[in-house]
Amino acid sequence: QVQLQESGPGLVKPSETLSLTCTVSGYSISSGYYWGWIRQPPGKGLEWIGSIYHSGTTYYNVSLKSRVTISVDTSKNQFSLKLSSVTAADTAVYYCARTLWFGAYYFDYWGQGTLVTVSS
Amino acid sequence: QSALTQPASVSGSPGQSITISCTGTSSDVGGYNYVSWYQQHPGKAPKLMIYDVSNRPSGVSNRFSGSKSGNTASLTISGLQAEDEADYYCSSYTSSSTPLGFGGGTKLTVL
């Protein structure tokens, strides 16, 4: 059974960088699929942030691209998200998910999500 | 602002059927068979219910079905049950600069 677990600070100061890691179990990232990040501000809808392949190929939401970096560490079976220059608008529950890409576009396994609050 | 338009809310009584629409354009819903639907209960992660317009993942009840006509995709839930009360989101591939978008979500209330 594929499982994903987000981890990282729950509180980030404005203008700083938000950093989260997703640890995957039950499946090797190197075996395939893309791996992505999705966020959901409190009381609002879902927003795709970006997705990465084990080779390092990435696709990003254009609205966030200038501030986002997604990376992968196959040795640890993890992938990570960095979002720079955060503001209160970046306060959200951040989810990691396994992503179908090319020939299908959807998320079939999700982490439980982690709330990140941007506040001084 | 979401690229895909969903009704804010729908409701139905137990045993009835309801349909949630997801309207896009020829650049997303109408142009590709890459529409997916997610169910989200309060405080929980979204769950994949339908992919590629009308396919159900293993384990998802056959009371859930998906379809598409033109630029509008639909999720139909038949034989409504109390446990179906949740938020539902559609998603589609898009040929725009951001290849994946979500609808704004629809809150389903089972009366």
Side-chain angles (χ1 to χ4, degrees), chain A residues 18-86:
Chain A
L18 177 160
S19 296
L20 296 174
T21 295
C22 182
T23 301
V24 180
S25 58
Y27 189 87
S28 172
I29 285 180
S30 298
S31 295
Y33 291 96
Y34 275 72
W35 303 87
W37 290 96
I38 303 100
R39 70 179 183 178
Q40 184 173 35
K44 297 187 178 181
L46 301 168
E47 180 181 35
W48 174 70
I49 299 171
S51 296
I52 189 167
Y53 195 57
H54 64 78
S55 63
T57 299
T58 52
Y59 293 88
Y60 294 128
N61 186 321
V62 167
S63 68
L64 298 170
K65 189 174 183 178
S66 64
R67 299 193 292 130
V68 171
T69 301
I70 297 176
S71 59
V72 64
D73 186 339
T74 55
S75 67
K76 295 181 179 179
N77 220 36
Q78 296 175 333
F79 61 105
S80 299
L81 168 70
K82 289 188 186 298
L83 180 64
S84 63
S85 305
V86 297

